[in-house]
Amino acid sequence: MFMNRDDDATLVVPTETDPPTEVVDAWIHAALRRLPAPARLRAALVARELVADARGRRAAPYVLRLSVLDRRSTLAVAVDCATAADEPMVTSTELLVSGLCTRWGVERRLSARTTWAELTVDASGPLRLHAPDQPRPGFRFPDRRSR
């Protein structure tokens, strides 16, 4: 379906609820596991916020893309989704993301939108991402409360 290189990871989120948020979060952390801890935590927060914003206010499907840019020193996070023409220009998510990222923006098309952000990462070597498999439809983590 998608070709992933060593510096790309792509997750297709087909609906507002599947896969559940905790599965998306686990996928994001797995994709970013090779990054230094501070950059990994910041990037995970940005990715989660952009996916949550898309799921809460825009139409499915959603595509989360993580990519390494600029000679392997910048991480790009982007979420593509369908959108309505009358959406607000700036959301609270975008304000939060702007505080955590070097650059960010929104590309609007007739019936789609891409929200993207770039984070500069201080690392001793080149940045590398891990491209986890797509979650199986309907996958849920076991409920730990029932034990």
Side-chain angles (χ1 to χ4, degrees):
M1 186 148 95
F2 285 93
M3 295 291 292
N4 284 313
R5 303 176 318 208
D6 286 342
D7 53 0
D8 287 340
T10 302
L11 173 66
V12 177
V13 181
T15 74
E16 289 83 5
T17 58
D18 192 34
T21 301
E22 64 270 11
V23 174
V24 173
D25 287 350
W27 185 94
I28 290 168
H29 280 283
L32 299 172
R33 72 179 186 209
R34 295 178 179 162
L35 270 60
R40 183 175 59 244
L41 294 172
R42 205 174 58 189
L45 178 58
V46 169
R48 279 195 310 262
E49 283 296 318
L50 293 180
V51 170
D53 181 67
R55 281 180 135 178
R57 301 173 353 98
R58 292 164 179 79
Y62 317 98
V63 178
L64 168 64
R65 293 178 286 123
L66 306 172
S67 302
V68 176
L69 309 173
D70 287 344
R71 293 178 296 211
R72 301 181 147 324
S73 65
T74 301
L75 178 69
V77 179
V79 174
D80 302 312
C81 60
T83 188
D86 60 350
E87 70 179 9
M89 292 297 286
V90 178
T91 67
S92 58
T93 293
E94 290 160 352
L95 292 173
L96 175 68
V97 167
S98 71
L100 295 172
C101 298
T102 311
R103 296 178 350 129
W104 72 278
V106 177
E107 296 174 11
R108 290 178 177 82
R109 294 171 300 288
L110 185 59
S111 60
R113 162 191 176 117
T114 299
T115 305
W116 59 269
E118 294 178 358
L119 301 88
T120 301
V121 178
D122 294 325
S124 58
L127 298 180
R128 298 211 46 220
L129 298 175
H130 169 73
D133 292 336
Q134 297 291 307
R136 295 181 316 273
F139 176 82
R140 302 251 188 274
F141 285 112
D143 186 4
R144 295 179 202 150
R145 290 175 280 152
S146 63
R147 292 184 184 166

